[in-house]
Amino acid sequence: LLSLGTGTTSDFHETYTAAEAARWGPLIWMSVIQNMTDAGSTYMTDYYLSTAFKALGSQDNYLRVQENALTGSTTTWDNATLANMQLLKQVGENLLNKQVSKDNPDETYADALIGFATKLSDRKKLRANKASY
């Protein structure tokens, strides 16, 4: 399973104090809660799927690709300007060079995707060979 995320702003590098939150109005609270809900959904989906695949002994058959630190115009869903498309392309290219997990710091997303594609190609060839008999 190749799980492609749409990206989030939920790197959780931002924290808030009680004094700051006490001054927030309803709109700021709604925004913060929406961001936390979106992030929670993303993280829980990944956690659930990776746990399920691991429990089945198939953890090598699951790869989640997700950028968790989007900023600026790359976070808006309705910005299809050429400039924003170029920014999103750059985000994707930068993501290829990031490490997949802390458990395996030497593997980048580029390495993982190549390995995943190779595995899928090999399995397709195997199925084709079996079908020809």
Side-chain angles (χ1 to χ4, degrees):
L1 174 66
L2 177 60
S3 176
L4 300 175
T6 57
T8 70
T9 59
S10 63
D11 203 16
F12 294 116
H13 62 279
E14 240 180 295
T15 58
Y16 307 103
T17 65
E20 289 174 311
R23 292 190 304 266
W24 292 349
L27 291 177
I28 293 175
W29 272 109
M30 285 173 41
S31 174
V32 170
I33 290 170
Q34 181 65 45
N35 287 341
M36 289 174 13
T37 302
D38 290 346
S41 174
T42 296
Y43 284 110
M44 287 308 299
T45 299
D46 180 38
Y47 176 78
Y48 173 75
L49 287 171
S50 63
T51 301
F53 274 80
K54 186 180 271 188
L56 296 169
S58 299
Q59 59 269 20
D60 292 339
N61 293 330
Y62 173 70
L63 176 62
R64 173 75 175 171
V65 179
Q66 168 87 343
E67 174 57 68
N68 290 317
L70 293 178
T71 59
S73 66
T74 61
T75 63
T76 59
W77 293 57
D78 60 350
N79 185 347
T81 64
L82 180 59
N84 198 50
M85 293 296 109
Q86 290 171 339
L87 279 174
L88 289 169
K89 180 181 175 188
Q90 188 61 51
V91 166
E93 289 171 354
N94 292 344
L95 183 60
L96 288 173
N97 296 318
K98 288 187 176 182
Q99 70 182 39
V100 174
S101 72
K102 293 176 182 165
D103 297 335
N104 189 358
D106 295 329
E107 184 179 37
T108 65
Y109 279 107
D111 300 330
L113 287 167
I114 289 169
F116 212 77
T118 301
K119 186 184 300 185
L120 288 173
S121 176
D122 291 346
R123 288 186 182 176
K124 182 179 180 185
K125 290 174 190 172
L126 182 64
R127 282 192 308 273
N129 287 339
K130 285 182 179 178
S132 66
Y133 288 111

